[in-house]
Amino acid sequence: MTETVPPGSPMAQSTDSSGRIELPPGAFPADSPFANEDLRPVPVAERKWTTYNFAALWISMAHCIPSWTLASGLVALGMDWKQAVFTIALANVIVLLPMLATGHAGPKYGIPFPVLARASFGLRGANIPAMIRAAVACGWFGIQTWIGGSGIFALGSKLTGGQWETAGKIAGNPWPLWLCFLLFWALQIAIIYRGMDFLRHFENWAAPFVIVGAFVLLIWIAVKADGFGALLDQPSKLGWGADFWPVFFPSLMGMIGFWATLSLNIPDFTRFGSSQRAQTWGQSLGLPTTMTLFAILAVLVTSGSEAVYGEAIWDPVTLAAKADSTFGLLFALITVLIATVSVNIAANVVSPAYDLANLAPKLINFRTGALITGVVGILIFPWKLISTPEFYIFTWLGVVGGLLGTVAGILIADYWIIRRTVLHLADLYTAGGRYWYSAGWNWRAIAAFLVGGVLAVGGSYSTVSAEGVSSGPFPEDGLIPFLKPLADYGWAVGLAASMLVYVALMAGEREKARATV
């Protein structure tokens, strides 16, 4: 029987020369209901991810079909291409900051996001942010899987001479489309079942492959168009004055919301980091640069498509389907497949797998959590969320971003302001320790989340067109009318409000936390 080291004792954790901390065997009870093999801290010897691994992770995740079409949504709202690229670039620089702040705990302690959340929300209370993140990921998993399956169907239909288009229909869609969707779903589950190390190797080679694929598409359309089309010269319908800013700020929050999910659960990946330098430089080199480059490529390719086909084709799958050669279609099919798999697994399966494991560690492991994510991602039919640019950017990304920004504010405040990056690992897995609070719940974090969440999304509203068509499910005057002015800044409002409320409520706990360092 392994001897248990008393939680909080000097022997409960050790620090190496690079500042990485790990637990010795028996640092907390082996039968702890708050631990399993997937949630335990990653041993220092197994923290191997380098700068390239993190950069490749972000390159692979940023190079997906929804990223490609982000600029199209902004152009559809009246921006010119320069305004659209600027909005996307600025959003990703902003979201990088909380990404690095929460990611710091990964290499240092080797813990995933739901375990980090225990320090602020309590061992049981951490299930609230974990389940919110898991629900969002399940929605994104469904969206990406449908997009990927539709891409395979579109290109496969071209290869079969359009026979798939005329196949018998099930629930309004040709049966080959459903088959592509289910096969694509099964492929992703099979990859994640191989574990995180296999995912690292997959992302390493997927990143350069997708970059090459994007540039091949650019060269192909440039040759066919003998340059680029008129989209590059298309003026903004909004200008840079009073009409621009009411669209810019909610769009900026929406673009931030695109990766706000990862700003929470990035420790799920950085826990495998070899150093702080690796995760900091890897993310900084991979995220904002790739998203900006991809937006520019999307604009150039779409502009070329307008010159060749007489219309702006923002969907890269639809554009690739116009290729004349079988080789070109197969190359496009493989590129779409790899691009969508790489982002969907990393961004939308890893996190809920850990989050669901945190809900019931003794019943759910990483692989079981991944399977549950896949099933829920099918059942909620979330592809309707991307039916229109307004609904996609303002409703889905905006509301989700507001809630996730609220959680991020609490995590950052607790880790950086209250605890000054000092955590006691054993207590994160032990009932009755520092992070037990009141029966496993920290009411201060819950209160901060409620206040921040109401301020961030309480004013959510839908616009109504001249034809009387609503852009979303919310009232025109907002859910809570007097909060409507804050709705356009949901992510920033949620993050700032929850951070301030949490720090104020934890004033007494702050001195206690530092006294036990």
Side-chain angles (χ1 to χ4, degrees):
M1 182 175 179
T2 305
E3 182 180 355
T4 300
V5 179
S9 74
M11 294 297 293
Q13 57 191 37
S14 59
T15 308
D16 70 0
S17 58
S18 63
R20 294 179 299 174
I21 294 171
E22 66 179 342
L23 289 172
F28 57 85
D31 59 350
S32 169
F34 300 101
N36 62 23
E37 288 304 314
D38 297 309
L39 296 177
R40 295 173 188 270
V42 175
V44 167
E46 297 177 19
R47 301 178 202 175
K48 301 177 180 178
W49 286 35
T50 64
T51 298
Y52 176 77
N53 295 141
F54 287 111
L57 174 72
W58 273 115
I59 292 170
S60 297
M61 289 198 295
H63 283 168
C64 61
I65 295 173
S67 295
W68 185 275
T69 58
L70 280 179
S72 71
L74 298 178
V75 170
L77 294 174
M79 294 187 184
D80 64 19
W81 75 271
K82 295 184 291 295
Q83 291 172 330
V85 170
F86 168 73
T87 304
I88 292 170
L90 179 60
N92 283 279
V93 170
I94 293 173
V95 81
L96 176 66
L97 300 178
M99 202 85 68
L100 297 177
T102 53
H104 184 278
K108 185 171 183 179
Y109 295 103
I111 55 176
F113 154 64
V115 174
L116 173 63
R118 293 174 181 178
S120 51
F121 283 84
L123 270 69
R124 289 173 173 159
N127 285 314
I128 291 179
M131 287 301 98
I132 291 173
R133 175 63 183 96
V136 172
C138 289
W140 271 119
F141 178 80
I143 289 173
Q144 293 276 16
T145 302
W146 183 258
I147 288 173
S150 299
I152 296 170
F153 170 78
L155 296 175
S157 183
K158 178 78 173 182
L159 286 171
T160 59
Q163 294 182 20
W164 283 7
E165 298 281 356
T166 58
K169 293 188 176 182
I170 299 175
N173 291 302
W175 68 261
L177 174 57
W178 292 109
L179 180 61
C180 290
F181 172 63
L182 293 175
L183 288 176
F184 189 56
W185 177 91
L187 173 65
Q188 296 172 97
I189 298 299
I191 291 176
I192 201 64
Y193 253 64
R194 299 290 300 276
M196 288 295 289
D197 200 49
F198 182 83
L199 176 63
R200 174 172 64 94
H201 291 299
F202 178 80
E203 300 288 349
N204 282 349
W205 68 264
F209 185 90
V210 176
I211 290 177
V212 171
F215 275 100
V216 166
L217 186 61
L218 175 65
I219 294 169
W220 171 68
I221 199 66
V223 170
K224 289 184 72 70
D226 193 23
F228 297 103
L231 180 62
L232 298 181
D233 300 320
Q234 179 178 308
S236 171
K237 298 176 183 177
L238 305 172
W240 288 94
D243 293 334
F244 173 71
W245 301 111
V247 175
F248 169 74
F249 284 110
S251 297
L252 181 68
M253 293 301 108
M255 295 304 102
I256 291 173
F258 191 79
W259 288 124
T261 50
L262 269 293
S263 69
L264 292 186
N265 77 282
I266 194 65
D268 293 342
F269 300 95
T270 60
R271 68 191 299 225
F272 299 97
S274 58
S275 66
Q276 291 295 346
R277 178 183 176 85
Q279 74 100 3
T280 300
W281 278 103
Q283 293 200 79
S284 299
L285 293 172
L287 173 57
T289 55
T290 303
M291 288 294 290
T292 303
L293 173 64
F294 217 44
I296 294 173
L297 286 174
V299 169
L300 293 175
V301 170
T302 303
S303 185
S305 73
E306 188 174 36
V308 175
Y309 301 107
E311 61 175 326
I313 302 174
W314 285 98
D315 186 347
V317 174
T318 302
L319 182 58
K322 293 182 176 293
D324 300 324
S325 69
T326 301
F327 173 79
L329 285 169
L330 288 174
F331 180 79
L333 180 62
I334 294 171
T335 302
V336 168
L337 187 70
I338 293 174
T340 309
V341 167
S342 62
V343 64
N344 214 17
I345 292 176
N348 303 318
V349 180
V350 171
S351 174
Y354 284 124
D355 296 337
L356 291 165
N358 187 72
L359 184 64
K362 296 305 179 185
L363 298 176
I364 304 173
N365 59 21
F366 180 79
R367 288 179 171 84
T368 306
L371 183 59
I372 294 173
T373 300
V375 172
V376 174
I378 293 176
L379 295 178
I380 62 177
F381 303 115
W383 44 84
K384 293 183 179 180
L385 293 170
I386 56 174
S387 56
T388 65
E390 293 85 358
F391 194 88
Y392 179 47
I393 293 174
F394 296 154
T395 303
W396 171 244
L397 294 180
V399 172
V400 163
L403 291 176
L404 297 179
T406 301
V407 176
I410 296 170
L411 295 185
I412 294 170
D414 184 80
Y415 183 69
W416 287 95
I417 299 174
I418 302 299
R419 309 193 188 282
R420 301 292 178 88
T421 76
V422 176
L423 298 175
H424 297 267
L425 283 177
D427 284 343
L428 290 171
Y429 301 89
T430 308
R434 289 176 179 81
Y435 314 114
W436 188 240
Y437 299 106
S438 299
W441 298 80
N442 182 7
W443 66 266
R444 302 167 189 83
I446 306 300
F449 173 73
L450 292 175
V451 172
V454 169
L455 292 176
V457 305
S460 297
Y461 64 94
S462 299
T463 57
V464 178
S465 67
E467 294 78 21
V469 179
S470 177
S471 64
F474 303 118
E476 186 177 358
D477 294 330
L479 289 172
I480 304 175
F482 76 89
L483 293 179
K484 182 179 178 180
L486 299 180
D488 291 346
Y489 315 93
W491 181 83
V493 168
L495 186 143
S498 64
M499 183 179 290
L500 291 174
V501 171
Y502 184 77
V503 170
L505 293 177
M506 289 288 288
E509 292 290 321
R510 176 166 46 185
E511 298 306 319
K512 189 186 302 183
R514 293 177 186 173
T516 58
V517 172

